[in-house]
Amino acid sequence: MNTDMSEKLAPMRWDGKDLYLLDQRILPHREEWVRVGNAQDCHKAIYDMVVRGAPCIGFSGLWGVVLWLKENKGKGGAALSEAASFLKTARPTAVNLAYEIDELLSYLQAQSQTDNYFEVAEEYTQKRIALAEEQNLAMAKWGIKAIEEDLGKGADLRLMTHCNTGFLACGTIGTALGVISLAAEQSRVKSVWVDETRPYMQGIRLTAYELAKQDIAHKVVVEGAASHLMKNGLVDAILVGADRIVANGDTANKVGTSTLAIVAKHYGVPFYVVAPSSSFDLKTEQGSGIEIELRNEEEILSFKGDRVAPRESSAFNPSFDVTDSSLITGIICEKGIIRPDYVKNIKGLLS
Amino acid sequence: MNTDMSEKLAPMRWDGKDLYLLDQRILPHREEWVRVGNAQDCHKAIYDMVVRGAPCIGFSGLWGVVLWLKENKGKGGAALSEAASFLKTARPTAVNLAYEIDELLSYLQAQSQTDNYFEVAEEYTQKRIALAEEQNLAMAKWGIKAIEEDLGKGADLRLMTHCNTGFLACGTIGTALGVISLAAEQSRVKSVWVDETRPYMQGIRLTAYELAKQDIAHKVVVEGAASHLMKNGLVDAILVGADRIVANGDTANKVGTSTLAIVAKHYGVPFYVVAPSSSFDLKTEQGSGIEIELRNEEEILSFKGDRVAPRESSAFNPSFDVTDSSLITGIICEKGIIRPDYVKNIKGLLS
């Protein structure tokens, strides 16, 4: 990984006063930065998907708290809790958002005084993002190890991924795409299949952009092509990220993940979930307890404001789905590879 | 079915001299007719997907022969065979195109003289399309019977379909959508899930248009949502068409069909293929013998000329996939319902 390049390609920047977010809605063709000066704007940027990807949503939430403290110096208590609660409503499914904000609040509450909350929160957030970078690299190494264990080879890999999990989503090399990037850097990758990821096109717009920036050979396919590819033996392994992994290993991720996992299981293609330990929600026992965010129908019915469907038609737009843990070959986090039995092994590794 | 409306909504018209095709590339928002005056233009219209859907591709091929005979009155033999071969190259995967043209040629060759080939071919084509209408209605009745047999109910159905198989594709009520339309007319349908069908959007553009025209309640979903819908018990049965069904029941249809069938099998949702007997290719033993048409990458990389993917990215665009017969609950044709064992039962019903 070219650290210098990663630096230049970071999806968010903090100048000590304001947050700047690379507007991921208009990538890959235009690189524009949105200035976010307060918590209200930060909520809006997260809700509007200027920034996306579970880890970056979490980091943006932290910056949202920092921005609130900038305008409310010395304040804490109920007012801070209320601001934090408001920020958490921007994307309800991504557990990282609530998790990261709650962790920061606990840290602040442990301080002896509220005077320097702003400075403390700012430093905390910077350290948190640096830690994510270390975790991403650790995950990438574990991911390569898992593939080697299961395929008996770690070279000439034809890998497939869904949605976007690289530096745009994670701030650093990424989760699922981090494995692919590190494997490519080690000359283990022959090619990458990138599915479009409808309706928001994270795959064709963002993952393809990240791979192109790293000169990794890839081809875009429609999601429906998954069976055709695997039936014809063109996929060695599939790696995806996670928005939330619950106690039994059931995983919420971008809609289409579970569809892809079922096809992988049918053809015996290894299917890995790659996510940091902050994506685990051990209070929820199984997938049925995960709230699935329904998004605006227009994301499906129109393309860039241009209506595709007939005027009379409506749509159903669940943004996530839940992949049953029985479909998952291994869950990779920064602490290691988790294999079935997930209930036991998730608890074992994380506690 | 309102015959008067079907008449108005027909996707092709013949005025005794020229063929007029409803331009399906610009539906649902604009209804424009393309005049096709000769065999060359007919090949181009089929290739460019002005007209689509296996049955309508076949009928257009017949009109292509008629148009060639209009300009080559009294000709037959090698010249006619050459024109027919050329027309058959417009869409290689759809078996109907070659099948229909070959049937017409055999019919012509059985005539005592070539003088009135044009008139004979014209009358043949008109009768062939009228026959399709009868067959579609018969299929629709068999389809409803199959659902009743498997679900133990024939009311309040939540049905799902892929790609486009209604009057736009079939000239008349349709194959898979014909079952849905007749079931709706009989007040058996609660709602229809229409998947977008990337990259060409036949579902969201054309199937949604056909359902809207018939006032049938429907919602559009992305293809990736298939697992989410079935996991949550929102789909009673799935019906799709076929471009080619081979001797063991393996079925070539629009890319994504096989992906959907695997998900249906996983959740135990009945999955039906609905196609006329002309879609069967009994000379091919199994799906591996089917040539899969690869289409232009631009269909994926751009939307209406607007580039979606990064400039550096390429795509892989198989237009069809092959669904293994083990995933199919029943194959419906105008002659009845075919159940496994398909090798034996297809032969039994069709011969």
Side-chain angles (χ1 to χ4, degrees), chain B residues 41-95:
Chain B
D41 287 354
C42 191
H43 181 284
K44 185 167 160 48
I46 296 169
Y47 181 82
D48 289 347
M49 297 173 76
V50 172
V51 63
R52 24 133 331 271
C56 275
I57 289 170
F59 303 151
S60 302
L62 293 181
W63 288 122
V65 175
V66 174
L67 287 164
W68 186 86
L69 290 167
K70 180 185 80 175
E71 300 204 319
N72 296 276
K73 288 217 169 147
K75 279 198 192 162
L80 174 59
S81 295
E82 199 180 308
S85 296
F86 167 69
L87 282 163
K88 288 194 268 186
T89 63
R91 292 295 297 278
T93 306
V95 70

Side-chain angles (χ1 to χ4, degrees), chain A residues 196 198 227 258-259 307 313, chain B residues 29 196 198 218 224 227 258-259:
Chain A
E196 295 184 309
R198 288 285 300 151
S227 169
S258 157
T259 298
R307 182 89 179 184
S313 299
Chain B
H29 306 304
E196 295 184 309
R198 287 285 301 152
H218 63 281
S227 169
S258 157
T259 298

Side-chain angles (χ1 to χ4, degrees), chain A residues 28-29 196 198 204 208-209 218-220 224 227 256 258-259 262 267 300 303-304 306-310 313-316, chain B residues 28-29 196 198 204 208-209 218-220 224 227 256 258-259 262 267 300 303-304 306-310 313-316:
Chain A
H29 305 303
E196 295 184 309
R198 288 285 300 151
I204 186 170
Y209 168 86
H218 63 282
K219 278 195 191 289
V220 180
S227 169
S258 157
T259 298
I262 291 166
Y267 290 113
I300 294 175
F303 186 82
K304 290 191 179 176
D306 196 357
R307 182 89 179 184
V308 178
S313 299
S314 58
F316 177 62
Chain B
H29 306 304
E196 295 184 309
R198 287 285 301 152
I204 187 171
Y209 168 85
H218 63 281
K219 278 194 190 290
V220 180
S227 169
S258 157
T259 298
I262 290 165
Y267 291 112
I300 295 175
F303 185 82
K304 289 190 180 177
D306 195 358
R307 182 90 178 182
V308 178
S313 300
S314 58
F316 177 61

Side-chain angles (χ1 to χ4, degrees), chain B residues 7 36 56 75 131 149 213 232 249 255 300 304 324 331:
Chain B
E7 190 64 24
V36 177
C56 275
K75 279 198 192 162
L131 176 65
E149 283 175 9
K213 286 275 176 186
N232 288 282
V255 68
I300 295 175
K304 289 190 180 177
D324 197 89
I331 303 175

Side-chain angles (χ1 to χ4, degrees), chain B residues 237-277:
Chain B
I238 300 173
L239 300 124
V240 300
D243 285 75
R244 188 185 302 212
I245 302 165
V246 300
N248 74 344
D250 287 354
T251 296
N253 192 46
K254 185 56 52 194
V255 68
T257 302
S258 157
T259 298
L260 188 59
I262 290 165
V263 176
K265 182 84 169 184
H266 181 78
Y267 291 112
V269 173
F271 187 92
Y272 304 101
V273 170
V274 187
S277 52

Side-chain angles (χ1 to χ4, degrees), chain B residues 218-344:
Chain B
H218 63 281
K219 278 194 190 290
V220 180
V221 291
V222 297
E223 281 163 80
S227 169
H228 180 80
L229 292 179
M230 290 186 241
K231 190 182 178 78
N232 288 282
L234 302 172
V235 184
D236 295 315
I238 300 173
L239 300 124
V240 300
D243 285 75
R244 188 185 302 212
I245 302 165
V246 300
N248 74 344
D250 287 354
T251 296
N253 192 46
K254 185 56 52 194
V255 68
T257 302
S258 157
T259 298
L260 188 59
I262 290 165
V263 176
K265 182 84 169 184
H266 181 78
Y267 291 112
V269 173
F271 187 92
Y272 304 101
V273 170
V274 187
S277 52
S278 59
S279 299
F280 286 80
D281 165 18
L282 302 186
K283 288 177 209 146
T284 303
E285 281 183 30
Q286 50 188 24
S288 54
I290 301 174
E291 179 192 356
I292 296 294
E293 177 184 357
L294 292 178
R295 291 186 62 86
N296 195 315
E297 303 178 39
E298 279 302 308
E299 286 184 356
I300 295 175
L301 298 171
S302 297
F303 185 82
K304 289 190 180 177
D306 195 358
R307 182 90 178 182
V308 178
R311 287 278 150 216
E312 302 86 345
S313 300
S314 58
F316 177 61
N317 187 16
S319 190
F320 298 88
D321 66 18
V322 175
T323 299
D324 197 89
S325 61
S326 63
L327 302 167
I328 301 170
T329 311
I331 303 175
I332 316 294
C333 78
E334 74 278 9
K335 297 182 180 180
I337 306 164
I338 309 172
R339 302 285 190 176
D341 157 358
Y342 288 118
V343 174
K344 178 167 148 267

